[in-house]
Each structure stands twice: as C-alpha cells, then as structure tokens.
Amino acid sequence: METVRKLIQIFFTFLTNGYVLFPWTKNIYQGPFKLVCSPGLNCYSCPASITYCPLGSIQQLLLGIRFSFETGSYFFGSYVFGTIGIIGSLTGRLTCGWLCPFGLLQELLYKIPSWRKFRTAKPLKYIKYFMLVFFVIVFPLILTDQWGMGKPWFCKFVCPAGTLEAGFPMLALQPDLRATVGLLFYNKLFWMFLFLFWSVFSCRFFCKTTCPLGAFYGLFNKISFLQLHLNEENCTDCGACFQVCPMEIQFNKNVNSAECILCMRCMNEACKFDAISLKCAGLPLSQIASKKSIRNQTS
Amino acid sequence: MLKKNKQIFYRFIPLTIFLILFMIGIAVNEPQRVLEQAWNICLDCIGIG
C-alpha cells in the first residue's frame, strides 16, 4: 500500500507539473489548466506547473481586495476557499499524504540515513495555524502600502516550495531576474534550506509545523467524509500505530487528529488487530463495496 | 441508526457551505481573476518581489 501511495504521489507531482516545454519557452505555463486548483502545495510560478496554488491565489486576492471592491468586482477568495473547502470537507488532510509534491519531497529526504531522528515538539505544531490566520489572511488584508495594496506574506517571506520550485528554475531560465536577487531572496533561501535540511531528521517537518494548507485541511479531519475509524474493542493499546506514523500521532489516543494526513500506514502496516478501518461518511468502505455488489447482483 | 444519519448530515454542512462559496466565486467571475494571476510570474513567490 505504501508503494501505491508513493506512486500516486509521484504521479500527482508530474501531473501538476506537467508543462515540459518550459526549457524552450523559458516561461511559465499560461494555458487554461491554470484555472484548476493544485490540491497540495505547488507554486504556480514554477515553470512546469499547470495548476494554480490555492495559498498564493488567496493572498493575491486578499491583498488587492480594496482595489477589487473599488472597481466593482467582488473578489474575496470565495472561489479558492470554496475549492479547498470542498476538498477538505470530502477528504480532510488526505491531500497532504497522497497528493502534495512538497510532502513527497520531505518524505524522500527523511529516508536519508542520519545519526538520529527527532520528534517535533508539540508547541511547534501550532505555528501553522498562526501562518494560516496571519500570514495568509490577516496580514495581506490589513497591512497595506500607500496605494492600499498588501503583500502575500507567506509567499514572500516563508514559502519554501516557491523558492525551490519557482525561484531556482526561474532565475536559471530568465537571467534578467538575477540582478534583483537581494536580502529577501536570501531570507527565503534560509527557510527553504532549514526545512529541507531538518526533513532529513524529522519526517515532514514543514507539514507538521508551518504549512498553512495542511492546517486548513486539518480543520476538517473530524468532520470529513473520509475518515479512519478506531474499533476500540480490537485495540490493545500496543502503540504500533505511533511507531509508523510520519506525523507522530498515536491513533487510538487521538482519533482523526488534525495532524493526521491519512497515509493509512497505521492501518496497513502497523495494526495487527484490525482496530483501524477506513470509513466514508460513517460507513466502512468494505461495507459500501459489499452493498454495491449486492445491488449489482440483484439488478 | 439515528445517530449515524445525524453524523452523515453534519458532514454535509461544511460541504454545502463551501460549495455555495465556490458558486459565489464563479458568479462574480473570480476564476478569471485567478487565471490572470496564475498566468503572471509571481515575483514574491520567487523571493525577489
């Protein structure tokens, strides 16, 4: 199952970054697919990206909200919030575990052998909510210049995916941009190297501590249609689920935690007692499958 | 059974809210704005804006 998940992650990375003509055009993709939301963290200024980044779009819409209202258009991010809200309502944080290219990169980095692997301190996990509320929503909205325009705070000062996927390739493709590299770029470079370096020692360090998109999807984990279910009668509290969990959750103590990325390693690799199962809208998926087959047999 | 139905019903509330938000976005032509933004190189994302 873990191999299937890895293959899906790789497939989605190439699907959302499928513009192979960029080395010749030396520019980003400007076709109609840019209307499609990338469910995971994938910078839309990456020359290979064919989708838009929800975090980047929300910030861009919010920072120009005054201008937009003055011109009679009411763009406040409802299309983008609606899109990621639908994804979150249906699948919770499944996107992080199965479809996010930056998540995949961190998981691969964690496979590099190191002298010690570290757990992430719990208070650090709250930073991502701060990022979501302030860096993605509040600061772009209220901290404006003399023209009433804000800044995309998360993209501008933090986002390591933007530096890696868009910064390096665009600087390589467009030499004119290199003259503008300054302190801001070095700041982003610092964050990118910090997150990538620490991913070798702590699995998905950026996802656990800083990713605002993960924080948003995580809010739906307890109410989403797709959820993991604990069968308390079968659970022996052995802690095997905690040992394999990349997000450091002991599933039986914190069912459908906001940190859970539904990678299902606890269900498929760890639990020997069938205490964990996957449910869709409260119904076990196996039950849904059997109901379907019964319906097919009767029709 | 009633508890199960209630659980399913509650899951539809956020889905409906975000579906409405999504429709509002389409109604005010926000996808066009998103598309225009995504077609331009975001210098802030690169770290030079």
Side-chain angles (χ1 to χ4, degrees):
Chain A
M1 193 64 179
E2 190 56 13
T3 314
V4 175
R5 189 173 75 90
K6 277 280 170 297
L7 288 174
I8 291 174
Q9 283 177 303
I10 293 166
F11 173 73
F12 248 82
T13 301
F14 284 107
L15 188 72
T16 49
N17 294 290
Y19 184 56
V20 290
L21 296 176
F22 74 86
W24 293 278
T25 62
K26 298 195 184 299
N27 207 345
I28 60 172
Y29 169 76
Q30 290 173 321
F33 287 114
K34 272 268 163 96
L35 199 60
V36 179
C37 175
S38 162
L41 193 69
N42 192 55
C43 185
Y44 59 18
S45 287
C46 167
S49 172
I50 58 164
T51 52
Y52 79 84
C53 167
L55 287 181
S57 287
I58 286 170
Q59 289 169 87
Q60 292 290 347
L61 289 165
L62 292 180
L63 69 86
I65 201 164
R66 287 167 191 78
F67 180 73
S68 144
F69 277 34
E70 277 167 19
T71 54
S73 18
Y74 297 96
F75 305 144
F76 55 93
S78 57
Y79 172 70
V80 187
F81 271 119
T83 308
I84 56 173
I86 291 167
I87 296 171
S89 309
L90 291 174
T91 62
R93 223 178 147 177
L94 177 97
T95 298
C96 303
W98 292 74
L99 310 178
C100 180
F102 203 69
L104 169 67
L105 174 68
Q106 289 174 87
E107 282 186 5
L108 294 177
L109 285 171
Y110 189 65
K111 286 189 186 292
I112 297 173
S114 65
W115 61 278
R116 204 186 144 182
K117 300 288 183 188
F118 294 88
R119 298 209 186 285
T120 307
K122 206 178 172 187
L124 291 178
K125 295 181 181 176
Y126 295 104
I127 296 173
K128 59 181 174 289
Y129 298 105
F130 177 83
M131 287 287 166
L132 174 65
V133 174
F134 291 100
F135 274 57
V136 176
I137 300 170
V138 177
F139 291 165
L141 204 56
I142 63 166
L143 300 179
T144 56
D145 57 20
Q146 65 264 44
W147 297 285
M149 296 291 276
K151 288 185 178 75
W153 279 68
F154 183 73
C155 291
K156 195 177 178 94
F157 299 111
V158 184
C159 185
T163 318
L164 183 72
E165 295 171 10
F168 288 126
M170 288 315 292
L171 290 175
L173 290 171
Q174 299 192 2
D176 298 348
L177 292 177
R178 286 176 213 164
T180 52
V181 167
L183 260 181
L184 207 61
F185 184 74
Y186 295 122
N187 163 64
K188 283 200 62 172
L189 214 55
F190 166 77
W191 288 114
M192 188 199 77
F193 277 117
L194 178 83
F195 287 123
L196 294 184
F197 173 75
W198 202 245
S199 295
V200 178
F201 300 97
S202 177
C203 191
R204 283 180 173 259
F205 182 67
F206 174 75
C207 306
K208 281 181 210 157
T209 61
T210 318
C211 183
L213 196 57
F216 181 81
Y217 287 141
L219 299 174
F220 295 91
N221 266 5
K222 289 215 189 284
I223 50 166
S224 64
F225 278 78
L226 204 66
Q227 283 181 334
L228 287 174
H229 171 75
L230 175 73
N231 185 346
E232 284 176 17
E233 287 170 10
N234 289 2
C235 181
T236 59
D237 198 14
C238 64
C241 49
F242 179 64
Q243 296 303 321
V244 296
C245 182
M247 302 303 279
E248 298 163 9
I249 308 160
Q250 184 158 358
F251 185 75
N252 62 329
K253 299 254 166 76
N254 200 351
V255 180
N256 293 315
S257 145
E259 298 296 318
C260 178
I261 56 169
L262 276 99
C263 65
M264 299 176 210
R265 287 182 67 181
C266 53
M267 184 177 81
N268 295 316
E269 285 178 30
C271 190
K272 304 269 185 273
F273 307 99
D274 282 336
I276 306 170
S277 58
L278 188 64
K279 285 192 171 185
C280 184
L283 296 169
L285 279 183
S286 53
Q287 196 179 322
I288 292 171
S290 61
K291 270 184 184 175
K292 260 189 186 172
S293 65
I294 291 166
R295 226 176 286 146
N296 287 343
Q297 281 169 6
T298 50
S299 62
Chain B
M1 191 64 187
L2 194 69
K3 197 183 165 194
K4 221 170 215 178
N5 284 343
K6 253 186 185 174
Q7 278 181 352
I8 295 171
F9 173 75
Y10 287 141
R11 288 190 173 91
F12 276 100
I13 296 172
L15 182 66
T16 312
I17 292 169
F18 284 103
L19 210 59
I20 291 168
L21 262 182
F22 179 76
M23 305 285 231
I24 292 171
I26 291 175
V28 298
N29 204 21
E30 201 176 277
Q32 186 58 38
R33 181 79 192 105
V34 170
L35 197 60
E36 284 164 12
Q37 284 168 353
W39 279 346
N40 294 313
I41 298 170
C42 167
L43 295 178
D44 291 305
C45 306
I46 296 173
I48 57 175

